[in-house]
Amino acid sequence: MPKLEHPLTRGIYESREDGRVQVTEDGKTGVFDLDGRWHSGELRQADPHMILWVGGAAAGGGMLSAGAPMRGGTPRPNVPPKLKTTSRRRGGMDADPHSTGRSSEMDLGLDGKKALVTAATRGIGLAIAQELADAGVDVAICARSAGGLESAKKDLEARGVKVYTAVADVGDGDAIRGFVQAAGEALGGLDIVVCNASGGSAMGDAGWQGNFDVDLMGSARAVEAATPLLSDSDAGAIVFISSTAALEFLGVPQPYNAIKAALIAHAADLSQALASRGIRVNTVSPGPIFFEGGNWEMIKNAMPAIYDRALGQCAIGRMGTPEEVARAVTFLASPAASLITGANLVVDGGFTKRVAY
């Protein structure tokens, strides 16, 4: 029977012969139906996606089984096309003795800008900070714990920019406001704010509160604190990281989906309210993103059938990478996107199937 460890809670999810899933976490055990409803036991809340993945694998189905089937033949490897880019670190483009004077890439106008990125020590958040740093942007990053901040700082500083780091719980109002102020002082202002932190996909009251506090209120408070700084910029920009879970039904209702949808709505409102102050506001909604140590690598190794069905939903034949999301965020945050505000850019390789007019 399929058995899987949750990457965040370390809870053990195991299918049962009766079609339900047993979850053991922090010494408590609970049994759940495939739709995430509690059936019995001390543990009454668990991750509905993990329940569906484990239970669906045992039944030969799964959360994504209703979508497009796997295309015939061997799927293309999960590797994005290589891009040949020109470094834009502080000081301009690297010298090329054979250059005609024309750049091989679009000038995003980011050199010398200052950005803040929340939850940026791994995955998408770190990739965004790295992409911005490579474009010559000084960056401030935070995380809930010190682990990972030092290595991230060294990596970013090696790209030739100024870096400020701090331990900050985005779900704590005083902490996120304090981080924004400290980042502005350390960098000498702010031009870009990227709200990437998320409370995850827990269920029940705790799930609603966690997503509300981190995803929604963390973003709202960060914008509130950063608005005076962004107003002083000649190219102020805000980018919220939402999800395709906000756009299409993924198998079970949960707080994460609804709060990510609220982020898109709030960004649209802010784009109108802050336009007169020279601040653009946009959202990026990633689909399945594959990276080492991430959820999809875990699923690929432990439950390849579920991974293959998700991969089959991606029209381009592979999942995305954090770097691909980071490039979308960097463009939207740059002066090159000066006419774009109030948009939700879906970065999912054709995973979602809706028609959005």
Side-chain angles (χ1 to χ4, degrees):
M1 288 292 182
K3 183 177 182 180
L4 197 61
E5 181 182 73
H6 196 288
L8 299 178
T9 67
R10 302 304 178 191
I12 302 299
Y13 289 65
E14 186 172 7
S15 64
R16 304 189 344 159
E17 291 185 357
D18 62 4
R20 296 187 174 94
V21 174
Q22 178 175 298
V23 183
T24 302
E25 186 176 304
D26 294 331
K28 296 181 180 180
T29 297
V31 177
F32 299 84
D33 294 327
L34 290 191
D35 61 3
R37 288 182 297 176
W38 174 81
H39 179 266
S40 61
E42 289 181 284
L43 187 68
R44 290 176 172 267
Q45 295 181 0
D47 187 332
H49 287 306
M50 291 287 286
I51 292 170
L52 282 169
W53 285 329
V54 173
M63 178 178 65
L64 299 170
S65 61
M70 197 69 173
R71 288 189 290 256
T74 303
R76 286 173 284 176
N78 195 340
V79 179
K82 296 294 183 181
L83 295 182
K84 183 178 181 180
T85 58
T86 303
S87 173
R88 289 193 176 277
R89 296 179 188 175
R90 194 63 46 82
M93 296 183 296
D94 295 338
D96 181 354
H98 305 294
S99 174
T100 62
R102 294 190 298 270
S103 171
S104 62
E105 67 173 11
M106 179 188 297
D107 183 357
L108 299 181
L110 283 169
D111 192 54
K113 301 297 184 187
K114 306 170 192 309
L116 177 154
V117 186
T118 61
T121 57
R122 66 188 296 269
I124 292 173
L126 177 58
I128 292 169
Q130 290 170 330
E131 190 73 20
L132 288 168
D134 282 342
V137 179
D138 294 332
V139 290
I141 65 171
C142 71
R144 283 183 298 179
S145 62
L149 277 174
E150 187 59 33
S151 61
K153 183 177 183 179
K154 290 179 180 178
D155 176 286
L156 295 169
E157 287 179 335
R159 297 166 192 265
V161 299
K162 184 176 183 179
V163 181
Y164 172 75
T165 67
V167 175
D169 181 352
V170 175
D172 181 315
D174 291 338
I176 184 59
R177 292 187 183 101
F179 171 61
V180 171
Q181 290 301 125
E185 292 173 5
L187 300 183
L190 283 177
D191 302 287
I192 298 165
V193 169
V194 180
C195 297
N196 172 66
S198 176
S201 58
M203 294 293 282
D205 289 353
W208 283 107
Q209 195 65 56
N211 285 125
F212 178 77
D213 288 342
V214 178
D215 299 65
L216 187 56
M217 289 307 300
S219 299
R221 289 162 174 158
V223 169
E224 177 188 344
T227 294
L229 295 165
L230 294 173
S231 297
D232 290 337
S233 169
D234 60 359
I238 297 166
V239 180
F240 288 166
I241 305 301
S242 182
S243 169
T244 53
L247 308 176
E248 288 187 356
F249 183 57
L250 294 182
V252 63
Q254 62 172 329
Y256 178 86
N257 306 354
I259 298 300
K260 285 301 190 184
L263 266 184
I264 298 173
H266 188 50
D269 286 349
L270 287 172
S271 71
Q272 296 293 317
L274 298 180
S276 63
R277 303 181 72 166
I279 303 171
R280 296 180 302 106
V281 188
N282 292 291
T283 307
V284 168
S285 290
I289 303 300
F290 187 99
F291 60 93
E292 183 177 350
N295 286 346
W296 283 108
E297 183 191 44
M298 174 194 68
I299 294 165
K300 181 181 181 181
N301 294 334
M303 299 165 66
I306 299 297
Y307 173 84
D308 286 344
R309 277 191 288 276
L311 183 61
Q313 296 252 68
C314 299
I316 65 171
R318 63 175 178 81
M319 293 182 183
T321 68
E323 292 74 21
E324 290 175 302
V325 178
R327 287 195 287 269
V329 172
T330 299
F331 170 70
L332 278 183
S334 76
S338 57
L339 196 59
I340 304 175
T341 194
N344 176 37
L345 178 57
V346 177
V347 185
D348 72 346
F351 181 77
T352 53
K353 303 299 185 285
R354 81 213 184 289
V355 178
Y357 294 104

